[in-house]
Amino acid sequence: MTTSVRPPGPDLSRLAALRAFRKEPLAFLERLAAYGDIVRIHVPGSAAYLLNHPDLVHEVLVAEHRSFHKGPTIQAAKLLLGESLLTSEDDVHRRQRRLIQPMFHHERIASYAASMVRFADRAADRWSDGEEVDLQAEMAALTLAVVGDTLFGTDVDERRSATVRRALTDTLGMFDRVYSPLFRLLVRLPSPTMRRYRRVESDLNRVIAEMIAERREAGATGGDLLSLLLRAREDGAGMSDEQVRDEALTLFLAGHETTAIALTWTWWLLSWNPEAEARLHAELDATLSGRAPSIEDLPNLPYTQAVVSESIRLRPPAWAIGRTAIADHRANDVPIGAGSIVVVSPWLLHHDPRWWPEPEVFRPERWLTDATERPRHAFIPFGGGPRVCIGEPFARLEATMLLGAIARRWRFASGSDRVPEIQAVITLRPRGGLPMVAVRR
């Protein structure tokens, strides 16, 4: 007979745990991790478990993935995103993934590289030597333009860009409420928060509807993702307009936010690590000789790619991954009942000294050595298993091409010695943006 073990955890009431998580989520996760690799937390409405070992993560995301659905935060995202690839489950998810997967084949993604570099050069042309710029806003506008062109075949002008950035900030700001026991009631009340949210939803729907209309008017014959969504078929059936809207909005928001945040932190990390910055510049100068990068240059830019990997290790845009157990599960000898919430955290895994020597040090060269001894799921910036982010190859290519195109011409200096405060919403943003000084190389 298998014995059951009750895992350790903090002696906090359900509401006290919720308050601690909402106030300082990263610090709270670190506090929990001190109890061990399996930690039980009491939260309103269910039992919750933090699993903080790569083997346990593998079981949840890969080996036993059918025993889990997405967690409360992503379920709440259905308010905005509907039944999209990110939020749907089971047969609906599998069908949508089969329809969308061909749009992210390697050859198609590689064809986007030139467009990515063109938009990076356009952004770099706007800056002046010594000018202070908000790099979070700059990277968000840049990645929005890239996504609009490569995935939607349309121009994300300043009006659309400002609408999407404002809407995304407002939306992310309300998602710390999803663990509240009153959340389902709150979304039905005409509160100021929900009135603002409805305006956000209306603004985003208008932008996406405009893009869909433009594609339809052009015949939807192009190779961009939106045209492919409109033409997608499986067994003779395509997507409804509502499904196209849900997928387009999800890819539009997710396709720019995570890369923008990754690049934002990359510039700050480089500014605080001048030796790594100098090595990056040396590789770009030697490989490019002053010209813009192309897809053919990637094999000769290993350090540039290592900078991206190290940045998303230290500042993973998606810092926590939630799952809800739909069947009983065992983590080692600990029973996790159906209905329980399970949390795995890239933030914790990526800073764990068991897998990363000197985990707080920004050291891109660690990615240039053989990492076979490191457990596979010690690094999960894009999740893992059958629900790994479908846009991972696109995001990695985009981050590398944008970094290379900009860093060959510019570096950015931190205007103060203050470490930016981290705002852990769905993504890991610098609170209040990231002002830095553009320095022409």
mmCIF file of all heavy atoms in Angstrom, residues 49-88:
data_model
loop_
_atom_site.group_PDB
_atom_site.id
_atom_site.type_symbol
_atom_site.label_atom_id
_atom_site.label_comp_id
_atom_site.label_asym_id
_atom_site.label_seq_id
_atom_site.Cartn_x
_atom_site.Cartn_y
_atom_site.Cartn_z
ATOM 1 N N TYR A 49 -0.992 23.656 -4.519
ATOM 2 C CA TYR A 49 0.324 23.060 -4.309
ATOM 3 C C TYR A 49 1.341 23.742 -5.217
ATOM 4 O O TYR A 49 1.099 23.915 -6.415
ATOM 5 C CB TYR A 49 0.291 21.561 -4.628
ATOM 6 C CG TYR A 49 -0.636 20.766 -3.738
ATOM 7 C CD1 TYR A 49 -1.990 20.688 -4.046
ATOM 8 C CD2 TYR A 49 -0.159 20.112 -2.615
ATOM 9 C CE1 TYR A 49 -2.849 19.957 -3.243
ATOM 10 C CE2 TYR A 49 -1.015 19.380 -1.806
ATOM 11 C CZ TYR A 49 -2.364 19.313 -2.119
ATOM 12 O OH TYR A 49 -3.213 18.591 -1.309
ATOM 13 N N LEU A 50 2.475 24.081 -4.639
ATOM 14 C CA LEU A 50 3.626 24.543 -5.415
ATOM 15 C C LEU A 50 4.542 23.348 -5.647
ATOM 16 O O LEU A 50 4.944 22.677 -4.690
ATOM 17 C CB LEU A 50 4.386 25.641 -4.665
ATOM 18 C CG LEU A 50 5.704 26.090 -5.305
ATOM 19 C CD1 LEU A 50 5.454 26.821 -6.625
ATOM 20 C CD2 LEU A 50 6.508 26.966 -4.342
ATOM 21 N N LEU A 51 4.834 23.049 -6.906
ATOM 22 C CA LEU A 51 5.760 21.973 -7.258
ATOM 23 C C LEU A 51 7.019 22.609 -7.828
ATOM 24 O O LEU A 51 6.961 23.293 -8.853
ATOM 25 C CB LEU A 51 5.125 21.029 -8.277
ATOM 26 C CG LEU A 51 3.779 20.404 -7.873
ATOM 27 C CD1 LEU A 51 3.300 19.429 -8.934
ATOM 28 C CD2 LEU A 51 3.874 19.714 -6.506
ATOM 29 N N ASN A 52 8.156 22.367 -7.164
ATOM 30 C CA ASN A 52 9.355 23.116 -7.506
ATOM 31 C C ASN A 52 10.552 22.200 -7.758
ATOM 32 O O ASN A 52 11.639 22.402 -7.220
ATOM 33 C CB ASN A 52 9.681 24.123 -6.392
ATOM 34 C CG ASN A 52 10.757 25.113 -6.819
ATOM 35 O OD1 ASN A 52 10.800 25.534 -7.974
ATOM 36 N ND2 ASN A 52 11.624 25.486 -5.888
ATOM 37 N N HIS A 53 10.341 21.169 -8.592
ATOM 38 C CA HIS A 53 11.440 20.313 -9.017
ATOM 39 C C HIS A 53 11.178 19.925 -10.465
ATOM 40 O O HIS A 53 10.035 19.632 -10.847
ATOM 41 C CB HIS A 53 11.529 19.057 -8.140
ATOM 42 C CG HIS A 53 12.756 18.249 -8.395
ATOM 43 N ND1 HIS A 53 12.920 17.446 -9.520
ATOM 44 C CD2 HIS A 53 13.909 18.115 -7.673
ATOM 45 C CE1 HIS A 53 14.104 16.858 -9.475
ATOM 46 N NE2 HIS A 53 14.728 17.243 -8.371
ATOM 47 N N PRO A 54 12.210 19.925 -11.334
ATOM 48 C CA PRO A 54 11.988 19.610 -12.749
ATOM 49 C C PRO A 54 11.258 18.299 -12.995
ATOM 50 O O PRO A 54 10.453 18.201 -13.925
ATOM 51 C CB PRO A 54 13.411 19.583 -13.320
ATOM 52 C CG PRO A 54 14.191 20.505 -12.437
ATOM 53 C CD PRO A 54 13.610 20.328 -11.062
ATOM 54 N N ASP A 55 11.520 17.274 -12.177
ATOM 55 C CA ASP A 55 10.836 15.991 -12.374
ATOM 56 C C ASP A 55 9.338 16.109 -12.100
ATOM 57 O O ASP A 55 8.510 15.517 -12.803
ATOM 58 C CB ASP A 55 11.439 14.919 -11.466
ATOM 59 C CG ASP A 55 12.879 14.581 -11.836
ATOM 60 O OD1 ASP A 55 13.298 14.953 -12.960
ATOM 61 O OD2 ASP A 55 13.573 13.967 -11.007
ATOM 62 N N LEU A 56 8.985 16.879 -11.082
ATOM 63 C CA LEU A 56 7.572 17.089 -10.765
ATOM 64 C C LEU A 56 6.892 17.925 -11.846
ATOM 65 O O LEU A 56 5.729 17.691 -12.188
ATOM 66 C CB LEU A 56 7.442 17.767 -9.394
ATOM 67 C CG LEU A 56 8.038 17.011 -8.204
ATOM 68 C CD1 LEU A 56 7.982 17.873 -6.949
ATOM 69 C CD2 LEU A 56 7.302 15.693 -7.985
ATOM 70 N N VAL A 57 7.610 18.893 -12.367
ATOM 71 C CA VAL A 57 7.091 19.724 -13.459
ATOM 72 C C VAL A 57 6.853 18.872 -14.701
ATOM 73 O O VAL A 57 5.833 19.017 -15.387
ATOM 74 C CB VAL A 57 8.066 20.876 -13.756
ATOM 75 C CG1 VAL A 57 7.641 21.656 -15.003
ATOM 76 C CG2 VAL A 57 8.163 21.818 -12.548
ATOM 77 N N HIS A 58 7.794 17.970 -14.990
ATOM 78 C CA HIS A 58 7.648 17.074 -16.139
ATOM 79 C C HIS A 58 6.357 16.250 -16.027
ATOM 80 O O HIS A 58 5.636 16.060 -17.021
ATOM 81 C CB HIS A 58 8.862 16.147 -16.230
ATOM 82 C CG HIS A 58 8.713 15.041 -17.234
ATOM 83 N ND1 HIS A 58 8.910 15.234 -18.576
ATOM 84 C CD2 HIS A 58 8.350 13.733 -17.088
ATOM 85 C CE1 HIS A 58 8.689 14.095 -19.224
ATOM 86 N NE2 HIS A 58 8.351 13.172 -18.338
ATOM 87 N N GLU A 59 6.064 15.764 -14.823
ATOM 88 C CA GLU A 59 4.852 14.960 -14.647
ATOM 89 C C GLU A 59 3.596 15.774 -14.968
ATOM 90 O O GLU A 59 2.680 15.293 -15.631
ATOM 91 C CB GLU A 59 4.784 14.435 -13.210
ATOM 92 C CG GLU A 59 5.837 13.368 -12.900
ATOM 93 C CD GLU A 59 5.780 12.945 -11.452
ATOM 94 O OE1 GLU A 59 4.864 13.415 -10.732
ATOM 95 O OE2 GLU A 59 6.640 12.144 -11.025
ATOM 96 N N VAL A 60 3.556 17.020 -14.503
ATOM 97 C CA VAL A 60 2.361 17.847 -14.687
ATOM 98 C C VAL A 60 2.212 18.300 -16.135
ATOM 99 O O VAL A 60 1.123 18.225 -16.715
ATOM 100 C CB VAL A 60 2.399 19.064 -13.739
ATOM 101 C CG1 VAL A 60 1.285 20.056 -14.077
ATOM 102 C CG2 VAL A 60 2.266 18.612 -12.287
ATOM 103 N N LEU A 61 3.307 18.770 -16.731
ATOM 104 C CA LEU A 61 3.222 19.358 -18.068
ATOM 105 C C LEU A 61 3.309 18.339 -19.193
ATOM 106 O O LEU A 61 2.831 18.597 -20.302
ATOM 107 C CB LEU A 61 4.327 20.409 -18.254
ATOM 108 C CG LEU A 61 4.307 21.607 -17.315
ATOM 109 C CD1 LEU A 61 5.402 22.599 -17.712
ATOM 110 C CD2 LEU A 61 2.950 22.290 -17.296
ATOM 111 N N VAL A 62 3.926 17.184 -18.919
ATOM 112 C CA VAL A 62 4.183 16.219 -19.997
ATOM 113 C C VAL A 62 3.540 14.865 -19.703
ATOM 114 O O VAL A 62 2.555 14.468 -20.337
ATOM 115 C CB VAL A 62 5.702 16.045 -20.235
ATOM 116 C CG1 VAL A 62 5.951 15.129 -21.428
ATOM 117 C CG2 VAL A 62 6.378 17.398 -20.459
ATOM 118 N N ALA A 63 4.098 14.137 -18.737
ATOM 119 C CA ALA A 63 3.711 12.729 -18.541
ATOM 120 C C ALA A 63 2.236 12.568 -18.180
ATOM 121 O O ALA A 63 1.567 11.656 -18.673
ATOM 122 C CB ALA A 63 4.600 12.103 -17.468
ATOM 123 N N GLU A 64 1.725 13.438 -17.322
ATOM 124 C CA GLU A 64 0.341 13.321 -16.862
ATOM 125 C C GLU A 64 -0.484 14.541 -17.264
ATOM 126 O O GLU A 64 -1.421 14.933 -16.549
ATOM 127 C CB GLU A 64 0.321 13.161 -15.329
ATOM 128 C CG GLU A 64 1.103 11.981 -14.803
ATOM 129 C CD GLU A 64 0.480 10.641 -15.209
ATOM 130 O OE1 GLU A 64 -0.759 10.614 -15.420
ATOM 131 O OE2 GLU A 64 1.218 9.645 -15.327
ATOM 132 N N HIS A 65 -0.164 15.131 -18.407
ATOM 133 C CA HIS A 65 -0.805 16.399 -18.771
ATOM 134 C C HIS A 65 -2.317 16.265 -18.926
ATOM 135 O O HIS A 65 -3.056 17.246 -18.731
ATOM 136 C CB HIS A 65 -0.189 16.947 -20.062
ATOM 137 C CG HIS A 65 -0.563 16.174 -21.293
ATOM 138 N ND1 HIS A 65 -1.632 16.523 -22.085
ATOM 139 C CD2 HIS A 65 -0.019 15.054 -21.860
ATOM 140 C CE1 HIS A 65 -1.736 15.665 -23.088
ATOM 141 N NE2 HIS A 65 -0.773 14.764 -22.976
ATOM 142 N N ARG A 66 -2.815 15.071 -19.259
ATOM 143 C CA ARG A 66 -4.258 14.905 -19.428
ATOM 144 C C ARG A 66 -5.018 14.997 -18.100
ATOM 145 O O ARG A 66 -6.250 15.092 -18.090
ATOM 146 C CB ARG A 66 -4.566 13.572 -20.108
ATOM 147 C CG ARG A 66 -4.055 13.492 -21.543
ATOM 148 C CD ARG A 66 -4.473 12.182 -22.202
ATOM 149 N NE ARG A 66 -3.841 12.016 -23.503
ATOM 150 C CZ ARG A 66 -4.298 12.557 -24.636
ATOM 151 N NH1 ARG A 66 -5.399 13.293 -24.602
ATOM 152 N NH2 ARG A 66 -3.671 12.348 -25.779
ATOM 153 N N SER A 67 -4.300 14.956 -17.002
ATOM 154 C CA SER A 67 -4.942 15.077 -15.691
ATOM 155 C C SER A 67 -5.124 16.531 -15.263
ATOM 156 O O SER A 67 -5.619 16.786 -14.157
ATOM 157 C CB SER A 67 -4.104 14.348 -14.624
ATOM 158 O OG SER A 67 -4.053 12.959 -14.890
ATOM 159 N N PHE A 68 -4.734 17.472 -16.135
ATOM 160 C CA PHE A 68 -4.767 18.879 -15.752
ATOM 161 C C PHE A 68 -5.380 19.745 -16.849
ATOM 162 O O PHE A 68 -5.203 19.478 -18.039
ATOM 163 C CB PHE A 68 -3.345 19.381 -15.454
ATOM 164 C CG PHE A 68 -2.695 18.698 -14.292
ATOM 165 C CD1 PHE A 68 -1.946 17.542 -14.477
ATOM 166 C CD2 PHE A 68 -2.865 19.186 -13.004
ATOM 167 C CE1 PHE A 68 -1.356 16.890 -13.406
ATOM 168 C CE2 PHE A 68 -2.279 18.540 -11.920
ATOM 169 C CZ PHE A 68 -1.525 17.390 -12.120
ATOM 170 N N HIS A 69 -6.080 20.781 -16.419
ATOM 171 C CA HIS A 69 -6.511 21.863 -17.281
ATOM 172 C C HIS A 69 -5.770 23.130 -16.872
ATOM 173 O O HIS A 69 -5.062 23.151 -15.862
ATOM 174 C CB HIS A 69 -8.024 22.082 -17.173
ATOM 175 C CG HIS A 69 -8.821 21.122 -18.014
ATOM 176 N ND1 HIS A 69 -10.204 21.080 -18.003
ATOM 177 C CD2 HIS A 69 -8.436 20.164 -18.910
ATOM 178 C CE1 HIS A 69 -10.636 20.153 -18.850
ATOM 179 N NE2 HIS A 69 -9.580 19.577 -19.405
ATOM 180 N N LYS A 70 -5.925 24.181 -17.670
ATOM 181 C CA LYS A 70 -5.286 25.449 -17.331
ATOM 182 C C LYS A 70 -5.796 25.954 -15.976
ATOM 183 O O LYS A 70 -6.906 25.613 -15.536
ATOM 184 C CB LYS A 70 -5.559 26.495 -18.416
ATOM 185 C CG LYS A 70 -4.801 26.254 -19.720
ATOM 186 C CD LYS A 70 -3.299 26.340 -19.500
ATOM 187 C CE LYS A 70 -2.517 26.250 -20.805
ATOM 188 N NZ LYS A 70 -2.447 27.509 -21.537
ATOM 189 N N GLY A 71 -4.999 26.792 -15.340
ATOM 190 C CA GLY A 71 -5.324 27.284 -14.012
ATOM 191 C C GLY A 71 -6.274 28.472 -14.017
ATOM 192 O O GLY A 71 -6.734 28.922 -15.074
ATOM 193 N N PRO A 72 -6.564 29.018 -12.833
ATOM 194 C CA PRO A 72 -7.573 30.081 -12.703
ATOM 195 C C PRO A 72 -7.284 31.325 -13.536
ATOM 196 O O PRO A 72 -8.208 31.935 -14.078
ATOM 197 C CB PRO A 72 -7.548 30.402 -11.204
ATOM 198 C CG PRO A 72 -7.052 29.159 -10.558
ATOM 199 C CD PRO A 72 -6.061 28.571 -11.517
ATOM 200 N N THR A 73 -6.020 31.724 -13.650
ATOM 201 C CA THR A 73 -5.716 32.951 -14.389
ATOM 202 C C THR A 73 -6.075 32.812 -15.860
ATOM 203 O O THR A 73 -6.702 33.701 -16.457
ATOM 204 C CB THR A 73 -4.224 33.312 -14.247
ATOM 205 O OG1 THR A 73 -3.916 33.484 -12.860
ATOM 206 C CG2 THR A 73 -3.916 34.604 -14.987
ATOM 207 N N ILE A 74 -5.689 31.701 -16.475
ATOM 208 C CA ILE A 74 -5.997 31.507 -17.887
ATOM 209 C C ILE A 74 -7.485 31.262 -18.085
ATOM 210 O O ILE A 74 -8.074 31.702 -19.081
ATOM 211 C CB ILE A 74 -5.163 30.344 -18.469
ATOM 212 C CG1 ILE A 74 -3.666 30.678 -18.363
ATOM 213 C CG2 ILE A 74 -5.534 30.092 -19.916
ATOM 214 C CD1 ILE A 74 -3.253 31.964 -19.068
ATOM 215 N N GLN A 75 -8.121 30.578 -17.144
ATOM 216 C CA GLN A 75 -9.569 30.420 -17.251
ATOM 217 C C GLN A 75 -10.269 31.774 -17.217
ATOM 218 O O GLN A 75 -11.232 32.012 -17.953
ATOM 219 C CB GLN A 75 -10.090 29.526 -16.114
ATOM 220 C CG GLN A 75 -9.687 28.071 -16.241
ATOM 221 C CD GLN A 75 -10.175 27.419 -17.524
ATOM 222 O OE1 GLN A 75 -11.318 27.592 -17.929
ATOM 223 N NE2 GLN A 75 -9.285 26.684 -18.189
ATOM 224 N N ALA A 76 -9.754 32.680 -16.365
ATOM 225 C CA ALA A 76 -10.331 34.027 -16.313
ATOM 226 C C ALA A 76 -10.081 34.788 -17.606
ATOM 227 O O ALA A 76 -10.868 35.658 -17.991
ATOM 228 C CB ALA A 76 -9.745 34.797 -15.122
ATOM 229 N N ALA A 77 -8.988 34.461 -18.294
ATOM 230 C CA ALA A 77 -8.674 35.138 -19.552
ATOM 231 C C ALA A 77 -9.709 34.858 -20.629
ATOM 232 O O ALA A 77 -9.768 35.576 -21.637
ATOM 233 C CB ALA A 77 -7.285 34.725 -20.040
ATOM 234 N N LYS A 78 -10.540 33.829 -20.443
ATOM 235 C CA LYS A 78 -11.617 33.574 -21.400
ATOM 236 C C LYS A 78 -12.560 34.766 -21.505
ATOM 237 O O LYS A 78 -13.248 34.933 -22.514
ATOM 238 C CB LYS A 78 -12.403 32.329 -21.005
ATOM 239 C CG LYS A 78 -11.682 31.019 -21.257
ATOM 240 C CD LYS A 78 -12.599 29.832 -20.997
ATOM 241 C CE LYS A 78 -11.895 28.516 -21.304
ATOM 242 N NZ LYS A 78 -12.774 27.350 -21.130
ATOM 243 N N LEU A 79 -12.633 35.573 -20.433
ATOM 244 C CA LEU A 79 -13.430 36.787 -20.491
ATOM 245 C C LEU A 79 -13.082 37.604 -21.724
ATOM 246 O O LEU A 79 -13.948 38.140 -22.411
ATOM 247 C CB LEU A 79 -13.165 37.649 -19.244
ATOM 248 C CG LEU A 79 -13.969 37.386 -17.982
ATOM 249 C CD1 LEU A 79 -13.419 38.219 -16.856
ATOM 250 C CD2 LEU A 79 -15.444 37.666 -18.213
ATOM 251 N N LEU A 80 -11.792 37.701 -22.003
ATOM 252 C CA LEU A 80 -11.322 38.526 -23.113
ATOM 253 C C LEU A 80 -11.040 37.702 -24.356
ATOM 254 O O LEU A 80 -11.379 38.111 -25.470
ATOM 255 C CB LEU A 80 -10.047 39.271 -22.696
ATOM 256 C CG LEU A 80 -9.418 40.196 -23.732
ATOM 257 C CD1 LEU A 80 -10.358 41.350 -24.042
ATOM 258 C CD2 LEU A 80 -8.080 40.737 -23.227
ATOM 259 N N LEU A 81 -10.409 36.529 -24.178
ATOM 260 C CA LEU A 81 -9.866 35.786 -25.307
ATOM 261 C C LEU A 81 -10.795 34.700 -25.841
ATOM 262 O O LEU A 81 -10.505 34.104 -26.880
ATOM 263 C CB LEU A 81 -8.523 35.153 -24.913
ATOM 264 C CG LEU A 81 -7.457 36.132 -24.419
ATOM 265 C CD1 LEU A 81 -6.211 35.371 -23.998
ATOM 266 C CD2 LEU A 81 -7.124 37.172 -25.481
ATOM 267 N N GLY A 82 -11.888 34.422 -25.138
ATOM 268 C CA GLY A 82 -12.803 33.402 -25.611
ATOM 269 C C GLY A 82 -12.166 32.024 -25.634
ATOM 270 O O GLY A 82 -11.261 31.718 -24.852
ATOM 271 N N GLU A 83 -12.624 31.171 -26.543
ATOM 272 C CA GLU A 83 -12.106 29.800 -26.655
ATOM 273 C C GLU A 83 -10.947 29.770 -27.646
ATOM 274 O O GLU A 83 -11.080 29.309 -28.774
ATOM 275 C CB GLU A 83 -13.218 28.853 -27.110
ATOM 276 C CG GLU A 83 -14.241 28.549 -26.044
ATOM 277 C CD GLU A 83 -13.707 27.588 -24.981
ATOM 278 O OE1 GLU A 83 -12.719 26.882 -25.257
ATOM 279 O OE2 GLU A 83 -14.276 27.555 -23.880
ATOM 280 N N SER A 84 -9.818 30.257 -27.203
ATOM 281 C CA SER A 84 -8.639 30.324 -28.072
ATOM 282 C C SER A 84 -7.681 29.183 -27.756
ATOM 283 O O SER A 84 -7.900 28.397 -26.834
ATOM 284 C CB SER A 84 -7.925 31.658 -27.886
ATOM 285 O OG SER A 84 -7.306 31.697 -26.613
ATOM 286 N N LEU A 85 -6.607 29.132 -28.508
ATOM 287 C CA LEU A 85 -5.594 28.103 -28.288
ATOM 288 C C LEU A 85 -5.049 28.171 -26.865
ATOM 289 O O LEU A 85 -4.718 27.148 -26.264
ATOM 290 C CB LEU A 85 -4.450 28.296 -29.298
ATOM 291 C CG LEU A 85 -3.462 27.137 -29.462
ATOM 292 C CD1 LEU A 85 -4.174 25.894 -29.947
ATOM 293 C CD2 LEU A 85 -2.362 27.531 -30.446
ATOM 294 N N LEU A 86 -4.973 29.358 -26.295
ATOM 295 C CA LEU A 86 -4.439 29.528 -24.944
ATOM 296 C C LEU A 86 -5.419 29.041 -23.886
ATOM 297 O O LEU A 86 -5.014 28.475 -22.874
ATOM 298 C CB LEU A 86 -4.108 31.000 -24.700
ATOM 299 C CG LEU A 86 -3.521 31.348 -23.326
ATOM 300 C CD1 LEU A 86 -2.142 30.718 -23.146
ATOM 301 C CD2 LEU A 86 -3.443 32.863 -23.140
ATOM 302 N N THR A 87 -6.718 29.235 -24.095
ATOM 303 C CA THR A 87 -7.698 29.001 -23.040
ATOM 304 C C THR A 87 -8.514 27.737 -23.200
ATOM 305 O O THR A 87 -9.115 27.269 -22.234
ATOM 306 C CB THR A 87 -8.681 30.189 -22.957
ATOM 307 O OG1 THR A 87 -9.376 30.303 -24.206
ATOM 308 C CG2 THR A 87 -7.946 31.495 -22.668
ATOM 309 N N SER A 88 -8.579 27.160 -24.407
ATOM 310 C CA SER A 88 -9.451 26.009 -24.651
ATOM 311 C C SER A 88 -8.828 24.726 -24.104
ATOM 312 O O SER A 88 -7.633 24.669 -23.794
ATOM 313 C CB SER A 88 -9.743 25.866 -26.144
ATOM 314 O OG SER A 88 -8.542 25.673 -26.870
#
